[in-house]
Structures are given as structure tokens and as C-alpha cells.
Amino acid sequence: MQLKRVAVTGLGAITPIGNNVSDYWNGLVNGVSGSDWITRFDASKFKTRFACEVKNFDPTALFERKEIKKYDLYTQFAVVAATEAIEDSGFLTQTDLERAGVIWASGIGGITTFAEELKAFYDGDGTPRFNPFFIPKMIADIAAGQISIKYGLKGPNYATVSACASSSNALIDALNYIRLGHADVFVAGGSEATISESGVGGFNSMQALSTNNEQYRTASRPFDKDRDGFVIGEGAGGLILEEYEHAKKRGAKIYAEVVGGGMSADAYHLTKSHPEGDGAYRAMKAALNDANITCEHIDYINVHGTSTPVGDPSETKAIVRLFGDHAYKTNISATKSMTGHLLGAAGAIEAIASILAINHGIIPPTINHFTDDEEIDRKLNLTFNKAQKRDVCYALSNTFGFGGHNTSLIFKKAE
């Protein structure tokens, strides 16, 4: 069976460094940090008092009042990013909507809604007075459903949940559905909104977050010797994946082709990466095999790079093991140094960063690097602190999640 080719024809994003794709990209290439003091709740008693929040977001300017009542913040972010991507692509009027679907991820879903409803119950007199929208606001698949309802998309519709690999899994699923001829178009991506008491407190309790409150602006510092955990972020990324000939026939702009996807499991630990990057190695190798290319084709790797003591060196070890000498010839960068970690939305916004690096010939930097770490191979070009110009034909994007979930995606410059 001849597999169909898959193009990216639309992009949408709302991030801590830009509320649309253009502003997000400008933030990346200019090395902007999205980290600031938490405003969503009083964090004064928390170990971590900073995060990468989305700025200047006013839902009343974007949604009707009745929609706001029905949408958790993660769904609001989802609809905003999906709308930008759909309008960018323009596929709605030129597509059989029974062959257009939505695969939208979230690692956690409506955690704020869940916490608010339980608090209201326990603060009351014990009489159950739950919001009728409690369950549909909270569940992790509802963003996919809302996007489908809003735009009449009647193809496959569901959510992928694999912690921080969730939206990359969504993109891989969409890729394979289209390849096999089961759909023509997918709105795929992910959203997350976990900057809340329970989100920050939970990650604090497992010592996953940076607690560098004194240097909060630069606390997300992948590969730096003094990194001490990730900075939690929020937002959404949406991509329109479309069957290549379908896109060409309607004269769509093609940002890139999606040519490979690889997945693996560490089968090692609940939250820690395999120290030698075994799962990362196998996911990247699977993606290369799926794309039918070699390591030498890859010009840029957007790494998972969360700024954790164990995760960062394990990923670089996997890259060196797989890529050999070519590891030192490719550009590598961790854009979480700017956006923080968007958890289930990370793969989507980092896929967008990889695609825009191809389109603009610019590698976004890994900012906040101050001190080399002897655990990190110093011969690697980790694009520290400043963007670099480079012609990019193929870009690889990694995302890994708690539970040992590993995903790698490969994008190719459009012909």
C-alpha cells in the first residue's frame, strides 16, 4: 500500500511569549523569557512562586459569556489556537467535513475546574451543589469535542493523553490516519492550563519544579550546571495536517511535510527519564526509520530539554549515541528555556517552533545558559543564548512524559 503524504497547512498558538504564531516566533528568535511571578493565585507560601503564564489573555473579548461558563481555561486556549490554525489554513470551505477530524491532547485537562468545584463543596454545608458543566469542563477530551462542534468537523475526534508527550502523540495519530487514507484533514495539537494551587503544589511536592525564586526570569535553564527543575507553563498549539495532494489541489500554503513519527517507552521509572536515554534513543531511531532517512539528514533538533537534573543529560546521551559524529554538526535547542514547560501542549508548540525554523532558516536559542555542566557533551551545538541562522531541510522534535512515554516527530521543508 502506498502511504499518502502529509502536509502542514495551518498553525495556531497561544503561549507565555506570544498569543499568536507571529508573536510566539518573534519571542523565540529574540530569546524572550516568559517566566514571571504567578498571578493566577496567591503563591506566597509555595516553594515555587513563578511560572510561565499566558499574558494579556481576556476571554471576554474572545468568547460569549455562555461559552466561558462551559470552557475550562485549557479549552479556551485550545479553541483560540485551533481557530488561528483553521483560519490560517482555510480548509473549511474546500474540504468534505466528514473527512476532517480533531485529535487534541491534554496531559491533565481541567484541573482548575476540578479543584474549584471540590473547594466549593467542602466549603459549603455538605449539600451537593455542583455546576452542571463540572464534568464536561474538566474531562481531557472536551477540547477536541468543542473544536469539532464549533467548526462542524465530523471525522475522527478524540484526545491523546500521555503526559508531556500528549500533543506529539496527537500529531503522530493524525499523521497516520491521513497516510492510510482515513481522513483528509486534522486539527491536531494540545492545550494545558495547570498553573493553579494543585498543579504547582503537586509538582513542588515531587521536586520537579525549579524553586529559584531569586532568579525567576532565568530559572528555566536547560543544560546549565545550576538547573534545578522545570518552570511550569500554559497555553496551546494547533496544527492543520492535511493530505498533500488535497492541499495542493486547493492551492494551500504548505509550511512543511510531516515525514516521520516514532514512539517508545522507557519501561523504567514513574517520573524519571532513563539515565542513558534509552527510550529517547529508540523513539528518535523509529522516527528516522519511519521517515526513511538517516541521521545525516537532520539539521535541527528541538529537544525535550526541560531543565531537570536527570532529563537533560539523558537526552543528549541518546542523541550522541544515535547520531554519532553528526550530533556535533546539527543545531540543538531547548525552547522550554523561553516558554517553560507546557506539559501536554509542549509537543505542539515545539513542533511549530521546528516548522518555523525550517521556514525562516533560523534556529531559536536555548537561553539562560551561564555555566557548563560536565555531564553535557560540550561539543554539541546547543545554540546557547542567541539564535543562529541555518538552512534547515529536516527538523526533529522530541517530547517525553511521565510514565516513560517518548515521542519524536520529523518535519521536512516543503518542495
Side-chain angles (χ1 to χ4, degrees):
M1 178 182 178
Q2 183 69 38
L3 295 177
K4 296 180 181 294
R5 296 164 67 186
V6 178
V8 178
T9 60
L11 302 174
I14 178 165
T15 78
I17 59 171
N19 291 3
N20 55 58
V21 169
S22 177
D23 289 347
Y24 168 51
W25 176 247
N26 286 334
L28 288 178
V29 296
N30 288 300
V32 174
S33 170
S35 184
D36 208 336
W37 298 119
I38 290 171
T39 66
R40 299 210 180 280
F41 64 95
D42 180 3
S44 60
K45 295 182 179 180
F46 285 70
K47 292 179 182 178
T48 297
R49 300 191 293 276
F50 59 93
C52 286
E53 294 182 345
V54 168
K55 284 84 172 167
N56 303 313
F57 179 71
D58 179 10
T60 63
L62 300 167
F63 301 103
E64 295 180 9
R65 188 183 300 274
K66 63 180 180 179
E67 291 178 309
I68 295 173
K69 290 181 179 180
K70 296 178 183 178
Y71 293 175
D72 182 89
L73 184 58
Y74 101 94
T75 301
Q76 294 176 25
F77 288 157
V79 172
V80 169
T83 296
E84 183 182 10
I86 289 167
E87 292 177 352
D88 184 32
S89 175
F91 75 84
L92 281 178
T93 59
Q94 300 169 290
T95 300
D96 177 357
L97 298 187
E98 292 188 5
R99 291 184 56 80
V102 183
I103 308 177
W104 196 272
S106 183
I108 297 178
I111 189 172
T112 301
T113 292
F114 188 81
E116 288 174 349
E117 289 292 321
L118 289 187
K119 184 177 186 300
F121 173 71
Y122 284 110
D123 285 349
D125 61 5
T127 304
R129 297 186 181 90
F130 288 92
N131 187 321
F133 297 119
F134 171 30
I135 299 302
K137 281 179 72 174
M138 178 267 296
I139 52 180
D141 68 300
I142 205 66
Q146 292 288 11
I147 294 165
S148 168
I149 292 165
K150 183 176 179 67
Y151 290 104
L153 307 178
K154 299 178 180 180
N157 181 270
Y158 63 95
T160 52
V161 180
S162 49
C164 304
S166 296
S167 53
S168 291
N169 276 135
L171 293 169
I172 291 172
D173 279 10
L175 165 67
N176 288 327
Y177 266 107
I178 296 170
R179 277 175 161 176
L180 293 170
H182 297 320
D184 296 325
V185 179
F186 271 102
V187 182
S191 56
E192 208 78 91
T194 58
I195 302 175
S196 63
E197 293 92 336
S198 53
V200 173
F203 282 117
N204 265 158
S205 69
M206 60 190 300
Q207 299 181 333
L209 295 183
S210 170
T211 57
N212 191 355
N213 294 294
E214 293 74 22
Q215 298 172 304
Y216 65 92
R217 291 279 190 192
T218 62
S220 183
R221 48 182 72 176
F223 311 116
D224 189 88
K225 184 177 181 179
D226 297 321
R227 66 190 181 278
D228 70 329
F230 71 82
V231 177
I232 194 168
E234 64 180 4
L239 296 86
I240 307 303
L241 270 58
E242 184 169 352
E243 194 273 318
Y244 188 86
E245 293 304 324
H246 185 277
K248 292 288 285 185
K249 184 177 180 180
R250 68 181 188 86
K253 176 182 178 179
I254 295 177
Y255 285 95
E257 277 192 69
V258 193
V259 294
M263 297 181 284
S264 75
D266 278 356
Y268 171 73
H269 189 272
L270 190 67
T271 58
K272 292 180 181 178
S273 302
H274 188 284
E276 299 301 316
D278 177 67
Y281 167 86
R282 288 183 287 106
M284 290 187 288
K285 185 176 181 181
L288 289 166
N289 290 339
D290 189 43
N292 196 29
I293 60 173
T294 66
C295 297
E296 286 71 25
H297 286 86
I298 301 296
D299 302 299
Y300 171 48
I301 303 174
N302 186 296
V303 289
H304 187 56
T306 56
S307 186
T308 57
V310 175
D312 290 3
S314 72
E315 187 172 8
T316 56
K317 288 175 185 176
I319 291 169
V320 172
R321 177 185 170 194
L322 179 62
F323 282 75
D325 287 342
H326 187 68
Y328 308 116
K329 300 174 184 176
T330 189
N331 272 81
I332 299 167
S333 73
T335 49
K336 288 184 181 72
S337 59
M338 294 171 277
T339 65
H341 192 351
L342 270 65
L343 309 178
I349 67 162
E350 288 159 18
I352 292 170
S354 302
I355 290 165
L356 294 176
I358 291 172
N359 278 253
H360 294 284
I362 299 174
I363 308 297
T366 304
I367 67 168
N368 305 328
H369 181 74
F370 305 101
T371 308
D372 288 343
D373 182 349
E374 58 274 8
E375 283 196 79
I376 307 295
D377 192 329
R378 297 181 187 182
K379 293 186 292 182
L380 294 170
N381 181 1
L382 295 165
T383 322
F384 283 136
N385 296 326
K386 187 176 180 180
Q388 296 177 14
K389 291 183 178 180
R390 175 170 183 158
D391 185 43
V392 181
C393 186
Y394 286 90
L396 182 150
S397 180
N398 285 335
T399 48
F400 315 136
F402 287 171
H405 312 294
N406 305 297
T407 56
S408 295
L409 278 157
I410 298 177
F411 303 96
K412 179 187 176 184
K413 181 180 288 188
E415 294 177 356

